[in-house]
Amino acid sequence: MLKIADLHVYYGSIRALNGISFQVNEGELVALIGSNGAGKSTTLKTISGLLRPRQGIVLYEDADITRTAPDRIVALGISHCPEGRRIFGGLTVRENLRLGAVQRRQGADMAADMDWVLSLFPILKERLSQSGGTLSGGEQQMLAIGRALMSRPKLLLLDEPSLGLAPLVVEHIFQIIRQLKQQGKTILLVEQNVHQALDAADRVYVIETGQITLTGTPDELKHNPQVEQSYLGR
Amino acid sequence: MSTLDDRPANPAIGEVRPNKRGGVAALIQSPVAIRLGALLILAIGLSLLHLSGRVFWQGLVINLGIFMILVLSLNLASGFTGVFSLGHIGFMALGAYGSAILTLPLAKKADYLPNLPAWLASIHFDFYLGPFPLGFLLATLLAAGLVAGVALLVGLVLMRLSGHFVAVATLGFLVIVRVILFNADNFTRGSRTFSNVTPYTGLWWVWFWAILTLYVVWRLKYSAYGRAMLAQREDALAAQAVGLAIMPPRLLAFVVSAFFTAVAGSLYAHFITSFSPTVFYFDLTFRVITMLIVGGLGSVSGSVLGTVVIIALAEALRRLEDVTLLYGMSQITLAVIFIVIILFRPNGLLGRREIVLARLFRKGGEPSP
Amino acid sequence: MTLVYYAIQQTVNALSIGSLYALMAVGLAMVFSILRLINFAHGDLMMVAAYLAAFALFANLPLGLAVVLIIIGTVIVGLLMERIAYRPIRGAPDVATLLTSLAVGQILQNGMLLTTRFLGQPIQIAFPTPDVLNGVVAFGSITVPRLNVVSLVIGLIALVSLSFFVTRTVPGLSMRAAAEDLTAAQLMGININRVIALAFAIGSGLAAIAGLLFAVQAGQINPYMGFTPVLKAFIAAVIGGFGSIAGAVVGGFVLGALEVILTALPGIGDILPPGMVSPSTQALLQQWLPSSLTGYRDAFVFAALILMLLFRPNGILGQPNREEMR
């Protein structure tokens, strides 16, 4: 479904990605793990069109989207839920959700999607008219994911959904992620919380200083001495 | 960060570098000799121009000198500290009116500005020391000193702001000065033209002040203060972290810059001899900023270059306008050039680099350090 | 009675000036909130509108048609400005974008100068005020200039429609989202080029209305007429907390009131009816608020701006004392 080949991305003269290649198949939950500054978020931003690679290609459903504008990429069915949630704090929860579906027309199926998102995150139902900035961190993360789902994505990019959240909330968020996968969504997940990521994912890529250094199933990686030492802290 | 940036210019500071070559070559290549040589060439040029009696060219070169002072001063305030001032022409206006009121001879003063307060009405800086118009010099210094005082007060307020807010606040200052000039009839004759100013300003006066400004700005850029200014332009937080206070260097730059801007105002007043508040407003502000940006914020030689380029261009365009009768075309062209520079060379022609006279004379140049 | 009459007249005055400032300030604030660009050329859009209006009225076009053409013309100029000058420098440092807008203003002013010369017009043109804007409106025994009433009504209609637009429509929501977080807005699938163009278009349309009303008020137009109003609009936007549309509207009316008060106060000792205040108070007023202070109004207004920037950079509605908002 998504195929990335030899991606090189720079911030000015600073190299962030140094030839990354990987792929995500339909229906899979693929996790991208690595430490701070390894290039995980950069990868997602390049896929969603916020960054232009200096070299390399992004293929989505066999079409080259390397230089496609972000709003076109959303229209193609990729939704990126960014790091740090980035919800619109001055807008209400309802408005935030509506903006998730900004490219779609108001109508019955959008109302149905809204109901579905609210059934995933019932707490948001009570907050619909509240402004986004008044929500707790966990609620904001739920809103961010819900908002990303409102565009009916085929591929969901999740950037650090567990960032800064209490363990119980993280547990809840990952339940939702598993649920989404069961419902057939394809998900590319970026995480520093390696335990959770390994538990949820079908396949895992380890990224270090802009390069993929390891790949495999969660079981393989759990027993890889290098991963154990660097990421699982054993 | 800043020290890295001005490294290429370091050899030009004038601190003596051991020169291995000896004899005449060493003399020719020593920075001091080169600078004296440049001054000498300038002096010869000015003398020739002075003797030639070509009024048009003399006027142009006087204008060049006045603008050079304005641009160098603005560079000191804006380019080195990153606090962009759109209000400097206000200082120029205060300098112009201040010194013009001071140099007005007693008789004319009573006739021309009858409502001046008594203490001011009795002061007249129109005396000479032999052939030398000492009064003009004193009036200029006094007016510029007063303006520097004003700048200190204004600066204390403005320097607390940052980014585009400071630019807008300084623009507010410009408007305030203009409103005061228009309304303080007793001092400025309000919207009527202020004329009868003695034409003291000549080539030598202007270029004496221009070279002095150049020297002071140059020395400030490479002083400890200058480094502090540059450092906090780069990153106010980091500069504070290493113990550089933000306010003193910014304020010093602002006050010194206002002083020289006021001097330019005085020179302008005694050159043009009649003016009104409308002169000191946005068009002039924009002209000076264009010169500064074209030359490069933070580069001293850039300011000189920018002034020369824009003066020459503006003059050429003005003549073209006279022929084609397309008035306004020259302003448009300059504005377009300005935008193009910001787009493609956001740091101006020179960026923060310097043209170093000494380096031009070295054979084949030297690999930059 | 005279004093009541005076007060009502001044209030209408303040509201009508305020609505002009609000129309201008909203355009500045919309663009600033998305791009962090202070668009000084916004005032020149107003000037362009005033000239388009003058040309249209000289050509004896019916007023309704003229207004539509003025708005369309100004919006086109505004869009061109964005496309040619501002889009390429998006993301440049604040000062660079600000200076660019100054240059754009220069181009518009001198372009208009060139056009008027080309058309054989003088620099300063007497504005051909349409008859509907002349005369007075009577409310019982109180009469108010019709222009002031019209300004206020048109201003309010425009502002109410704008508020409906930004709160109830998807493009309006997108605009507010882009103002809050441009990157996140892109990730929603919002085409930010379109949203920015829309902000410029709406701002230009409002500036066109303001320009027409302003030209009628001033009675004459010249290519430099936009400079002071844009500075005033900027003050209004700062008073309201720069970047907030509602704030810009509030700021516009506050500034209108402030100006009318500053104009009315000097010399108030001379017009108070006898017996209203004690003679000593009246003498004090005459001494400390002489009518000669009227000319300094703008100086006080700009001093207020600087104080505002210093102590309440987020506006009277915002939180005090935080430099720059994010």
Side-chain angles (χ1 to χ4, degrees):
Chain A
M1 182 177 219
L2 182 77
K3 199 168 181 179
I4 281 161
D6 195 28
L7 219 52
H8 292 254
V9 178
Y10 288 74
Y11 292 105
S13 58
I14 299 159
R15 187 169 61 200
L17 291 187
N18 184 19
I20 280 202
S21 306
F22 65 90
Q23 61 176 4
V24 180
N25 301 318
E26 189 141 14
E28 261 187 331
L29 198 171
V30 173
L32 216 53
I33 62 174
S35 54
N36 252 337
K40 308 182 302 289
S41 291
T42 306
T43 309
L44 292 196
K45 285 181 189 162
T46 312
I47 297 171
S48 59
L50 292 176
L51 296 173
R52 290 274 157 89
R54 194 172 284 187
Q55 191 186 318
I57 190 166
V58 181
L59 282 178
Y60 170 70
E61 293 183 328
D62 298 325
D64 181 359
I65 59 161
T66 320
R67 273 159 222 292
T68 308
D71 56 303
R72 293 299 312 142
I73 287 176
V74 174
L76 291 172
I78 299 181
S79 192
H80 179 171
C81 178
E83 183 181 1
R85 314 189 268 272
R86 309 286 283 261
I87 59 157
F88 304 114
L91 273 55
T92 63
V93 169
R94 183 183 280 112
E95 286 169 334
N96 268 282
L97 290 173
R98 177 65 187 87
L99 281 171
V102 72
Q103 295 185 346
R104 298 169 53 195
R105 289 190 185 285
Q106 194 91 43
D109 59 336
M110 187 190 290
D113 283 353
M114 183 83 102
D115 289 342
W116 171 61
V117 165
L118 291 177
S119 71
L120 285 177
F121 306 108
I123 187 80
L124 293 181
K125 208 178 231 163
E126 299 161 25
R127 305 264 188 267
L128 271 178
S129 309
Q130 243 171 279
S131 69
T134 62
L135 302 187
S136 72
E139 290 165 352
Q140 290 194 359
Q141 185 60 57
M142 295 177 201
L143 176 57
I145 295 176
R147 189 180 63 173
L149 289 171
M150 283 301 289
S151 67
R152 286 199 163 176
K154 290 180 247 176
L155 172 62
L156 184 62
L157 311 178
L158 287 176
D159 198 345
E160 304 251 9
S162 73
L163 192 72
L165 299 182
L168 262 178
V169 184
V170 172
E171 192 57 50
H172 180 67
I173 297 274
F174 269 89
Q175 265 170 26
I176 300 287
I177 293 174
R178 285 195 197 93
Q179 203 176 327
L180 288 172
K181 177 187 144 47
Q182 275 159 18
Q183 294 182 9
K185 295 273 181 214
T186 311
I187 300 172
L188 175 57
L189 170 73
V190 155
E191 257 306 340
Q192 283 195 63
N193 187 332
V194 176
H195 285 284
Q196 288 285 1
L198 289 182
D199 282 346
D202 297 319
R203 286 192 301 117
V204 181
Y205 292 94
V206 178
I207 180 169
E208 273 169 29
T209 58
Q211 280 175 314
I212 303 270
T213 50
L214 266 177
T215 172
T217 63
D219 282 339
E220 289 164 16
L221 288 189
K222 270 179 198 161
H223 300 106
N224 179 302
Q226 192 195 334
V227 172
E228 281 186 347
Q229 198 186 358
S230 313
Y231 300 105
L232 296 172
R234 283 183 212 148
Chain B
M1 201 181 273
S2 70
T3 43
L4 273 180
D5 267 338
D6 37 30
R7 209 167 38 174
N10 264 345
I13 306 175
E15 312 321 333
V16 185
R17 281 161 50 106
N19 201 327
K20 290 186 181 105
R21 281 158 287 192
V24 183
L27 191 64
I28 290 176
Q29 286 170 5
S30 90
V32 176
I34 287 167
R35 249 170 260 164
L36 285 178
L39 274 182
L40 193 67
I41 292 171
L42 180 69
I44 293 172
L46 289 180
S47 309
L48 287 177
L49 186 59
H50 186 85
L51 292 173
S52 74
R54 297 271 190 95
V55 178
F56 168 78
W57 288 103
Q58 286 173 355
L60 195 66
V61 173
I62 286 175
N63 250 323
L64 181 68
I66 292 175
F67 270 108
M68 206 172 274
I69 300 173
L70 290 173
V71 177
L72 283 166
S73 311
L74 187 61
N75 200 351
L76 181 59
S78 305
F80 297 163
T81 65
V83 178
F84 208 91
S85 166
L86 295 175
H88 259 55
I89 296 303
F91 294 129
M92 182 191 180
L94 292 178
Y97 273 95
S99 66
I101 293 170
L102 288 174
T103 59
L104 218 53
L106 265 189
K108 271 189 194 164
K109 202 174 259 185
D111 185 38
Y112 201 59
L113 297 170
N115 297 323
L116 276 185
W119 58 271
L120 193 54
S122 59
I123 304 176
H124 56 107
F125 285 88
D126 53 347
F127 44 88
Y128 281 74
L129 184 72
F132 180 74
L134 185 63
F136 175 44
L137 180 63
L138 291 179
T140 303
L141 287 173
L142 199 57
L146 286 173
V147 170
V150 173
L152 183 65
L153 295 177
V154 173
L156 278 172
V157 176
L158 292 183
M159 296 300 114
R160 299 182 180 281
L161 303 169
S162 63
H164 35 218
F165 281 4
V166 86
V168 173
T170 50
L171 200 56
F173 170 73
L174 181 65
V175 177
I176 291 174
V177 168
R178 177 181 160 96
V179 170
I180 290 174
L181 291 181
F182 265 120
N183 282 283
D185 293 46
N186 295 349
F187 297 87
T188 63
R189 294 171 53 80
S191 56
R192 287 172 296 166
T193 306
F194 192 111
S195 48
N196 284 331
V197 184
T198 318
Y200 289 116
T201 303
L203 278 175
W204 297 103
W205 275 108
V206 167
W207 282 90
F208 160 71
W209 279 110
I211 296 298
L212 185 65
T213 313
L214 185 67
Y215 177 76
V216 169
V217 173
W218 186 272
R219 285 309 297 240
L220 270 175
K221 180 176 179 182
Y222 292 109
S223 65
Y225 254 138
R227 287 179 201 291
M229 282 185 240
L230 279 172
Q232 62 91 12
R233 169 186 147 153
E234 293 297 334
D235 187 342
L237 221 58
Q240 273 175 318
V242 297
L244 292 169
I246 288 192
M247 285 289 277
R250 277 192 188 184
L251 207 52
L252 179 80
F254 195 72
V255 169
V256 172
S257 143
F259 179 89
F260 282 108
T261 306
V263 167
S266 169
L267 291 169
Y268 175 80
H270 294 85
F271 168 58
I272 209 88
T273 71
S274 68
F275 47 88
S276 70
T278 47
V279 176
F280 305 102
Y281 208 40
F282 193 67
D283 278 349
L284 193 54
T285 304
F286 188 70
R287 179 63 56 95
V288 173
I289 290 174
T290 308
M291 293 172 179
L292 177 61
I293 295 295
V294 166
L297 269 175
S299 162
V300 179
S301 35
S303 289
V304 177
L305 183 72
T307 313
V308 174
V309 168
I310 295 299
I311 288 261
L313 204 61
E315 185 57 31
L317 286 168
R318 194 183 61 76
R319 294 189 163 203
L320 208 63
E321 245 176 16
D322 284 343
V323 179
T324 56
L325 297 179
L326 292 173
Y327 292 100
M329 207 57 226
S330 68
Q331 305 270 28
I332 295 179
T333 315
L334 286 176
V336 169
I337 289 174
F338 183 85
I339 294 180
V340 168
I341 291 267
I342 287 189
L343 262 182
F344 296 105
R345 287 196 73 99
N347 296 319
L349 292 179
L350 289 188
R352 213 180 299 155
R353 284 166 298 159
E354 299 292 356
I355 296 175
V356 180
L357 286 178
R359 216 181 280 167
L360 298 179
F361 283 82
R362 278 189 205 118
K363 273 182 206 155
E366 213 164 88
S368 13
Chain C
M1 189 61 212
T2 40
L3 203 68
V4 175
Y5 175 81
Y6 182 71
I8 290 178
Q9 214 178 21
Q10 293 293 356
T11 308
V12 174
N13 214 348
L15 289 174
S16 79
I17 296 178
S19 69
L20 279 191
Y21 288 148
L23 287 178
M24 291 292 291
V26 162
L28 275 184
M30 274 195 307
V31 167
F32 181 82
S33 64
I34 302 177
L35 287 178
R36 305 191 63 71
L37 157 75
I38 295 181
N39 182 15
F40 272 109
H42 196 67
D44 300 301
L45 285 175
M46 192 178 132
M47 176 272 294
V48 168
Y51 270 92
L52 290 177
F55 295 148
L57 293 171
F58 280 138
N60 282 321
L61 290 183
L63 185 62
L65 178 65
V67 170
V68 172
L69 288 180
I70 296 159
I71 293 178
I72 292 176
T74 312
V75 167
I76 291 175
V77 175
L79 288 176
L80 285 176
M81 187 163 91
E82 190 274 324
R83 185 67 193 84
I84 297 172
Y86 297 142
R87 194 175 295 183
I89 55 154
R90 242 182 241 165
D94 290 347
V95 170
T97 58
L98 179 105
L99 292 177
T100 305
S101 81
L102 295 177
V104 170
Q106 286 273 309
I107 293 173
L108 287 178
Q109 286 164 20
N110 288 288
M112 190 51 79
L113 189 71
L114 211 58
T115 314
T116 50
R117 280 198 175 252
F118 191 68
L119 295 173
Q121 298 278 355
I123 291 184
Q124 186 105 347
I125 303 179
F127 191 78
T129 302
D131 287 337
V132 278
L133 294 177
N134 276 327
V136 292
V137 181
F139 298 101
S141 62
I142 295 167
T143 55
V144 186
R146 188 180 276 169
L147 172 65
N148 286 4
V149 178
V150 172
S151 299
L152 183 55
V153 171
I154 294 185
L156 287 182
I157 292 175
L159 294 172
V160 168
S161 335
L162 180 72
S163 110
F164 177 83
F165 170 77
V166 295
T167 52
R168 296 291 141 84
T169 70
V170 173
L173 275 185
S174 308
M175 201 181 277
R176 281 163 67 207
E180 276 201 24
D181 187 334
L182 205 54
T183 310
Q186 277 181 292
L187 292 180
M188 297 301 99
I190 294 170
N191 181 335
I192 55 160
N193 282 337
R194 210 176 293 161
V195 166
I196 290 168
L198 188 63
F200 269 90
I202 294 174
S204 308
L206 297 178
I209 298 171
L212 174 63
L213 296 171
F214 191 83
V216 174
Q217 209 153 56
Q220 51 188 4
I221 58 179
N222 66 59
Y224 313 107
M225 62 182 272
F227 190 63
T228 310
V230 77
L231 291 183
K232 296 280 180 67
F234 181 81
I235 297 177
V238 168
I239 291 176
F242 214 6
S244 139
I245 293 176
V249 174
V250 173
F253 284 106
V254 169
L255 179 63
L258 187 68
E259 282 205 349
V260 166
I261 290 171
L262 284 175
T263 316
L265 269 189
I268 193 151
D270 304 330
I271 62 154
L272 282 178
M276 176 94 190
V277 292
S278 69
S280 58
T281 314
Q282 185 144 9
L284 214 63
L285 283 176
Q286 279 170 340
Q287 189 192 345
W288 288 104
L289 289 169
S291 50
S292 58
L293 273 182
T294 315
Y296 289 97
R297 185 193 70 195
D298 283 0
F300 289 118
V301 170
F302 280 94
L305 160 78
I306 294 173
L307 292 178
M308 202 64 208
L309 286 175
L310 265 182
F311 296 111
R312 293 197 77 99
N314 295 325
I316 47 176
L317 305 178
Q319 297 168 350
N321 234 344
R322 217 180 346 128
E323 239 187 53
E324 300 276 29
M325 53 254 126
R326 251 285 148 202

